[in-house]
Amino acid sequence: MTVIHQWIQQVSPCVIIVLMMTTTTSHSGGSTGESKPSARVPLCDRRTLKEQYGVTEEFGFASESPLLPLLDHNKLGSSAEWEAAHMFLAYITQAYVWQDGDEGIPEVLPEAVAVPYHAVSGHLGIPASMTYFDNALVNWKWKDEEQRHCGPENLETVLTLAGGREEQWFFLVSVMIEAECGPALCAIVDAQQAVFDGDDTKLEEALIVIEGAVLKMVKQFKRMGDGLTPETFHNLISPTISGSEAPAFRAKGLTGLIYEGVSDEPLVLRGSSGITNSILPSLDAALGINHRRSDVVHLGDFAECMPGKHAAFVSAVARGPSIRNYVESLPGSNVQVNYIKCLKAVQFFRDFHLQVVTRYAIIPSKKPIQSTRKYTGTGVKDLVFLKGMRDNTIRARFDKSTSPKSNRKSPQTTGHKPGNGVILATVGICAVAILLYHKFERVSLSQAE
């Protein structure tokens, strides 16, 4: 972190001048033992005035370089330093973009930040934008490292944008969810090895671990409401972590930011979203949950926000032995029963995610905005995407009666033309969003208890 600290010092240069006389001076006129004036030496040579005291003839005590100097990313060493650098640069960029609200969005990101930001991002394999990686994966620290208990009482964020405990809570809940997922990720490796070895017992054990971990993730997700209100998230937090997809950019005719020293054309500034986590893609790859082509396109965009190593893990799991194909050949077995429990747990997580998005994004967007920001954050587009992910999880179950479309009537049966069906589907999605909100507090989480 030494390099990062040096960077912060460069961001806010401060000249500290201390002038002390080494002799005693008396104004009483008598002999007090002080050196005679003629014995005193000059303060320093003018040629060394700047080096010794930070004084120049042109600027006096003021810094000659008030602007941030070009940060040298080549001095970064360990993985932790590269990751911390990306986090600091992401927060500097977001603060620079949104500091003056919607009306003050800049067109250019200064070279001093843009060049190292782009270089560090390339090294880590993620965009030069604030991502879930910056807010959740690296933006935390222990209060008591010896205790190493991953709970809110022992965690705190490194950085915030809007500030306040609620913003910290929003990010820390994601950290706690990630921690609960650890055993599931390791169990995925065990499960694929068991499939390769044809070991039903080991596979069943691994599936039990995966199910239990996912249900614990839901329990942590449920804690979001303990420390964050929908109003604070929607009006204060969401605008500061948004990117060039925000209406404020479109209102000014901007498609992104020009990264000075990197590109003369605007580059997309992505916003941070929990949807881009690596957990669910890993579970989808392991359990053989296939998604529709339209959803796959969005997933490809989200994969670009994953750190290179995390995306490589998802790809490796997808190429590994198929748990689903193996389980499908064992109808009625305990292995298949536990596999379906895993699918239900993932569905349960996605159900709850839909409720959270509805409560924290959809419903507040219908109310008068209490801040000066106009950005409405996550919206119906994300809700539709998440609903598609949930439905695809249901389709992965072997019981065909669980298909989300099994009880729907076709347009021909209802007497509507296909065009009207599309309209009704859109209205239905909005209705579902409202119903989910009203059911939010009543949803039973007994499976996660």
Side-chain angles (χ1 to χ4, degrees):
M1 296 295 292
T2 302
V3 174
I4 301 301
H5 291 157
Q6 292 174 348
W7 284 10
I8 296 175
Q9 291 170 0
Q10 290 174 331
V11 173
S12 303
C14 179
V15 179
I16 301 177
I17 306 298
V18 179
L19 299 177
M20 300 181 64
M21 299 301 293
T22 58
T23 57
T24 305
T25 304
S26 171
H27 298 282
S28 60
S31 176
T32 59
E34 77 276 14
S35 301
K36 296 180 180 180
S38 60
R40 296 178 182 177
V41 298
L43 184 65
C44 69
D45 189 294
R46 281 178 63 96
R47 291 171 298 181
T48 62
L49 191 63
K50 174 182 175 182
E51 180 181 347
Q52 285 187 259
Y53 300 106
V55 175
T56 65
E57 187 172 7
E58 184 177 5
F59 295 100
F61 287 129
S63 172
E64 288 185 286
S65 303
L67 298 179
L68 178 67
L70 185 63
L71 305 178
D72 188 0
H73 59 276
N74 293 309
K75 294 181 180 179
L76 297 170
S78 67
S79 296
E81 288 186 344
W82 284 94
E83 293 171 353
H86 194 279
M87 177 181 68
F88 275 98
L89 289 165
Y91 274 77
I92 290 172
T93 298
Q94 291 298 119
Y96 177 75
V97 169
W98 296 108
Q99 61 181 329
D100 294 324
D102 292 356
E103 303 302 325
I105 296 175
E107 296 184 20
V108 179
L109 183 64
E111 180 181 14
V113 174
V115 170
Y117 197 10
H118 187 266
V120 171
S121 299
H123 178 84
L124 295 174
I126 53 179
S129 303
M130 175 173 279
T131 66
Y132 177 79
F133 170 83
D134 302 295
N135 288 335
L137 299 187
V138 297
N139 187 23
W140 66 276
K141 60 182 178 180
W142 301 111
K143 290 182 179 178
D144 182 356
E145 189 169 357
E146 292 184 359
Q147 189 179 20
R148 296 185 71 84
H149 170 60
C150 201
E153 66 282 352
N154 196 39
L155 295 174
E156 58 184 341
T157 58
V158 178
L159 298 172
T160 58
L161 281 166
R165 182 57 187 171
E166 287 190 79
E167 182 178 359
Q168 289 195 47
W169 186 262
F170 174 63
F171 295 146
L172 292 179
V173 168
S174 295
V175 176
M176 293 186 288
I177 292 173
E178 290 284 338
E180 296 291 5
C181 181
L185 298 176
C186 294
I188 287 173
V189 177
D190 296 337
Q192 289 194 325
Q193 183 64 49
V195 169
F196 182 79
D197 296 335
D199 191 332
D200 293 2
T201 301
K202 293 292 184 182
L203 177 55
E204 184 179 351
E205 292 174 354
L207 291 172
I208 291 173
V209 171
I210 293 173
E211 181 207 7
V214 175
L215 292 178
K216 288 180 179 179
M217 287 163 51
V218 178
K219 289 184 67 174
Q220 296 293 1
F221 209 169
K222 181 185 177 183
R223 303 181 70 172
M224 186 68 77
D226 294 344
L228 177 66
T229 64
E231 292 74 23
T232 298
F233 172 78
H234 183 265
N235 296 325
L236 190 62
I237 300 174
S238 185
T240 61
I241 62 176
S242 62
S244 53
E245 82 286 354
F249 270 81
R250 295 196 296 270
K252 296 186 68 174
L254 302 177
T255 58
L257 285 178
I258 294 175
Y259 283 54
E260 188 178 31
V262 175
S263 173
D264 294 332
E265 297 296 326
L267 300 179
V268 174
L269 180 71
R270 295 175 182 268
S272 177
S273 172
I275 297 177
T276 61
N277 71 76
S278 304
I279 296 175
L280 290 174
S282 298
L283 292 169
D284 288 344
L287 300 174
I289 300 174
N290 296 318
H291 297 291
R292 295 170 298 186
R293 179 174 300 178
S294 58
D295 295 328
V296 170
V297 172
H298 290 295
L299 288 171
D301 292 338
F302 294 155
E304 294 180 3
C305 297
M306 298 181 193
K309 290 183 178 180
H310 300 178
F313 178 81
V314 175
S315 297
V317 171
R319 295 192 306 268
S322 174
I323 297 174
R324 178 178 176 81
N325 290 346
Y326 185 86
V327 171
E328 196 168 13
S329 67
L330 302 171
S333 65
N334 287 337
V335 171
Q336 189 172 100
V337 169
N338 284 287
Y339 170 81
I340 293 176
K341 285 183 178 180
C342 288
L343 293 176
K344 289 181 178 179
V346 174
Q347 175 192 339
F348 188 35
F349 184 92
R350 283 179 160 142
D351 279 335
F352 194 80
H353 197 174
L354 279 166
Q355 296 165 36
V356 170
V357 170
T358 301
R359 183 187 185 194
Y360 283 89
I362 302 299
I363 300 301
S365 69
K366 307 300 180 183
K367 300 178 181 179
I369 297 177
Q370 301 301 317
S371 71
T372 58
R373 302 283 173 84
K374 301 175 183 177
Y375 177 49
T376 56
T378 304
V380 174
K381 181 179 178 181
D382 288 323
L383 189 74
V384 173
F385 172 77
L386 290 172
K387 184 176 182 296
M389 297 293 97
R390 190 276 314 275
D391 291 349
N392 295 338
T393 305
I394 296 175
R395 293 187 185 94
R397 291 163 56 180
F398 298 118
D399 180 3
K400 299 304 181 183
S401 64
T402 60
S403 170
K405 293 185 178 181
S406 59
N407 295 323
R408 296 179 184 173
K409 294 182 180 181
S410 66
Q412 290 78 5
T413 303
T414 59
H416 293 287
K417 296 181 180 180
N420 292 334
V422 173
I423 297 174
L424 289 175
T426 304
V427 173
I429 289 170
C430 295
V432 169
I434 302 300
L435 290 173
L436 283 172
Y437 171 70
H438 289 298
K439 291 177 64 179
F440 180 85
E441 299 296 342
R442 301 195 299 273
V443 170
S444 172
L445 295 175
S446 59
Q447 298 180 50
E449 296 298 342

